[in-house]
């Protein structure tokens, strides 16, 4: 689908909607049992991250209304910028007061697991009914291998968003699958005057996502399985040398880029390749601007290239759903999450956001949103192939602190920009990380 | 009861009580709690244990904290000096007889009235590597050939955020100094003019000495606001690039709230207190309590 007109777009979305109205796409265990009775007179407060795409919040609120209508439970939903949810959730955990349910990111639940309601029964029910959870879900929310401390909501998948015509003009008939080929492409794009650009400022989302992919692609990691800091390694040095070559192909100014910068630059035609969620494509596709509509036809997506590690090494923004123990209505809260995760609600929600959030349950792979437009397909596997942010160790305060302090982002930025040699940058990262992992 | 209420001391104590409670609850307690947390390894959601000076020992050796301290001092000194001179210059201009004086006096307050977050977003766009209006204008005028990397180069970024801070802070200094200028009696200038004093001599020997108490107060506040700045940095750079614009306040937030290390974040915040106290002491003893202001003469 090179160019999608408004009428065509309506046709395909109508097709998707028809698919959603069909019976269950897959029920692995039709006997999955769920017995839960919400408390009488329950009211719920939900705090969630603000939408990245409009369709998300529109459909989410429709589902909320459907829940309220069915159960007679009033639900208030507050929205905050996703980076502001973490401190609010932390304060709620600390003070024992706040929203009943918080939709947060990455390893937040691992910082205060004892403050959260055990949702093993709900996770087991949903897992059985919908073909199981992807492994990364357990890494995040089943830290002891037994109890679930939250219910996965999915992730904002990241792929390489690129301009097909620019890649072809650079001499590539298809998008490279490995890091060597990718570097060649980026050099060719630069030579053609259509460079790429990746965020290297203190960008919580985009910065962490691609720099973690990079070091993992070369077999490096911040910590090993025993949570020992091992970032100062030969693999890291190789990754940083690669970063230096890659940085030379970027559009100027990426050292200052925060999360919104690459979206703006791409949609303005200044960048032809950048790692991002599907939001760039969504913005172009749903825009009234003819130029952007035309650009949507030229946009395509590819999964992050595979490096010497030989396997996909993506990091995506993981979303969890936590119920706090201070909630007066834990059963109603569980019921709410169950309701929102069921096919009847979750499917249309995925579609409304054209796949901005990738599902955590295997059965939802078959949702038509992933195939109705081939450009959506690379995002389908984001949960399946991603690694948790604390890879290869355990998650908790240390992994959260290290990511929030931009240790990996800063290390890559220092080496890439030449302000430090790869060796110096890796040594500095090792010292900084050791503080969090308390060596 | 009547006797009790008739007692001046009792009444005084009662009237002071609300203010005292407010100070205790909203100032003393948070400061005390912050100080305590700085000596613990408290994490968000966990009370933590006493670790003595460990947080401070780590911070002293931590390259990012040392850089943040340097950035904060540099940011404060350069921005405060610029704000003082620009503010004084504006105040003197506005104190003269100029057309539309009231309009200009009101207009100059605009940067101070606009919410910081909004003006920070405006500066973020103006300094953007791809969309900077400054670069666009200069390119169109043929003065530069490529866009300026305002926020991507460490030193450019430092000066860019200082410029934003100065733009925002100048009105406060200018208007306060203008109020001070208007308290100076015109007879003093007349007397100086009769003695044949030049404009510079009138400024140096009349204006400046009489303005010093106001300067002391306004610059104390200005230094305190600048040293503890958070919003501008958080919106424009988040402390980047390469932590070149991280201030103590932004680093404290990053470590304590985003990173969950409450104890360490509190230690960074408390480490700011000695610097703030030093600024207050300098202003108090160095500028305010000069003998001539109390009827004596300077030695």
């Amino acid at each position: 689908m090179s160019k999608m007109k408004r009428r065509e777009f309506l046709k395909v979305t109508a097709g998707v909607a028809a698919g959603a109205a069909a019976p269950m796409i897959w029920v692995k265990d039709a006997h999955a049992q769920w017995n839960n009775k919400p408390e009488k007179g329950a009211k719920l407060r939900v705090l969630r991250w603000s939408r990245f795409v409009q369709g998300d919040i529109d459909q989410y609120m429709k589902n909320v209304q459907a829940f309220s209508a069915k159960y007679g439970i009033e639900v208030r939903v507050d929205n905050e910028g996703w980076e502001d949810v973490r401190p609010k959730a932390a304060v709620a955990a600390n003070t024992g007061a706040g929203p009943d349910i918080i939709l947060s990111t990455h390893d937040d639940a691992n910082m205060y697991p004892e403050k959260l309601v055990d949702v093993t029964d709900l996770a087991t029910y949903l897992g059985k009914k919908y073909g199981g959870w992807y492994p990364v879900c357990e890494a995040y929310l089943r830290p002891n291998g037994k109890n679930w401390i939250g219910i996965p909501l999915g992730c904002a998948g990241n792929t390489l968003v690129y301009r097909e015509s620019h890649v072809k003009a650079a001499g590539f008939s298809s998008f490279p699958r490995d890091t060597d080929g990718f570097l060649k492409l980026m050099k060719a794009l630069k030579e053609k005057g259509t460079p790429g650009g990746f965020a290297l400022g203190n960008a919580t989302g985009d910065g962490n996502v691609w720099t973690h992919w990079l070091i993992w692609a070369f077999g490096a990691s911040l910590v090993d399985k025993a949570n020992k800091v091992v970032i100062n390694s030969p693999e890291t040095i190789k990754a940083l040398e690669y970063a230096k070559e890659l940085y030379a192909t970027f559009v100027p100014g990426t050292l200052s880029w925060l999360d919104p910068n690459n979206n703006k630059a791409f949609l303005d035609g200044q960048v032809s390749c950048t790692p991002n969620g599907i939001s760039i494509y969504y913005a172009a596709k749903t825009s009234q601007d003819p130029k952007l509509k035309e650009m949507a036809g030229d946009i395509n997506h590819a999964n992050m290239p595979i490096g010497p590690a030989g396997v996909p090494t993506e990091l995506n923004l993981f979303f969890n759903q936590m119920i706090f123990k201070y909630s007066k209505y834990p059963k109603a809260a569980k019921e709410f999450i169950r309701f929102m995760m069921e096919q009847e609600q979750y499917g249309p929600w995925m579609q409304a956001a054209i796949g901005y959030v990738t599902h955590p349950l295997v059965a939802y792979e078959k949702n038509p949103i992933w195939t109705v437009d081939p450009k959506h397909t690379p995002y389908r596997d984001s949960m399946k192939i991603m690694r948790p942010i604390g890879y290869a160790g355990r998650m908790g305060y240390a992994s959260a602190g290290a990511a929030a302090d931009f240790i990996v982002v800063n290390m890559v930025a220092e080496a890439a920009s030449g302000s430090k040699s790869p060796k110096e940058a890796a040594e500095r990262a090792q010292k900084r990380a050791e503080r969090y992992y308390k060596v | 009861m009547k006797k009790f209420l008739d007692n001046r001391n009792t009444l005084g104590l009662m009237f002071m009580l609300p203010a005292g409670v407010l100070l205790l609850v909203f100032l003393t307690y948070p400061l005390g709690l912050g100080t305590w947390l700085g000596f613990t390894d408290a994490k968000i959601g966990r009370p933590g244990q006493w670790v003595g000076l460990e947080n401070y020992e780590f911070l002293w050796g931590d390259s990012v904290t040392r850089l943040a301290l340097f950035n904060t001092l540099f940011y404060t000194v350069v921005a405060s000096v610029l704000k003082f001179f620009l503010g004084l210059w504006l105040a003197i201009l506005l104190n003269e007889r100029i057309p539309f004086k009231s309009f200009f006096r009101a207009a100059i307050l605009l940067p101070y009235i606009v919410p910081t977050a909004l003006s920070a977003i405006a500066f973020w766009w103006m300094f953007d590597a791809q969309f900077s209006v400054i670069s666009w204008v200069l390119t169109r005028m043929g003065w530069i050939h490529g866009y300026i990397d305002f926020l991507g180069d460490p030193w450019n970024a430092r000066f860019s955020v200082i410029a934003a801070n100065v733009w925002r802070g100048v009105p406060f200094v200018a208007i306060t100094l203008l109020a001070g200028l208007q308290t100076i009696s015109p007879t003093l200038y007349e007397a100086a003019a009769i003695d044949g004093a030049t404009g510079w001599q009138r400024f140096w020997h009349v204006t400046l000495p009489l303005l010093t108490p106001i300067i002391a107060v306004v610059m104390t506040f200005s230094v305190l606001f600048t040293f503890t700045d958070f919003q501008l940095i958080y919106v424009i750079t988040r402390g980047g690039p390469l932590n070149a614009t991280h201030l103590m306040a932004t680093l404290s937030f990053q470590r304590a709230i985003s990173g969950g290390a409450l104890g360490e974040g509190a230690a960074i915040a408390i480490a700011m207190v000695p610097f703030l106290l030093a600024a207050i002491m300098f202003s108090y003893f160095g500028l305010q309590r000069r003998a001539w202001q109390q009827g004596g003469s300077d030695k």
Side-chain angles (χ1 to χ4, degrees), chain A residues 159-241:
Chain A
T159 67
L160 285 164
V161 186
Y162 66 93
R163 297 284 295 273
E164 272 187 333
S165 60
H166 294 181
V167 168
K168 277 184 187 150
F172 287 76
S173 55
S174 62
F175 201 89
R177 302 289 304 274
D178 61 10
T179 44
D180 286 343
F182 177 61
L183 184 58
K184 282 178 192 157
L185 167 67
M186 291 294 279
K187 284 179 177 174
L189 285 171
K190 174 86 172 175
E191 278 172 24
K192 287 278 177 189
T194 55
F198 295 16
L200 274 172
N202 286 353
T204 318
D206 290 338
N208 271 313
V209 160
W210 88 266
T211 53
H212 278 83
W213 156 78
L214 175 76
I215 61 164
W216 294 342
F218 282 80
S221 62
L222 193 65
V223 292
D224 64 12
K225 282 182 181 169
N227 264 17
K228 187 184 169 200
V229 179
V230 291
I231 190 65
N232 188 12
S233 67
E235 290 82 7
T236 303
I237 304 294
K238 278 182 189 161
L240 296 180
E241 282 163 354

Side-chain angles (χ1 to χ4, degrees), chain A residues 248-322:
Chain A
T249 69
F250 290 171
V251 70
T254 52
L255 277 182
S256 68
W257 276 13
L258 302 179
D259 285 312
N261 285 80
N262 64 335
N263 298 51
K264 291 190 296 173
F266 191 99
L267 288 169
D268 191 54
Q270 298 196 37
V271 163
S272 60
C273 180
T274 194
N276 208 69
I278 205 166
S279 52
I280 290 179
Y281 181 53
Y282 182 92
K285 198 169 167 175
T286 55
S287 171
Q288 298 302 314
D289 183 344
K291 275 187 188 169
L292 285 181
K293 279 207 164 294
E294 193 184 331
M295 182 188 281
D298 193 34
I299 293 176
N300 211 338
H301 305 112
N303 287 111
M304 301 297 282
I306 292 173
V311 289
T313 55
E314 291 185 9
L315 172 68
N316 295 305
L317 184 59
F318 180 82
F319 298 129
N320 55 43
Q321 303 171 96
M322 306 179 284

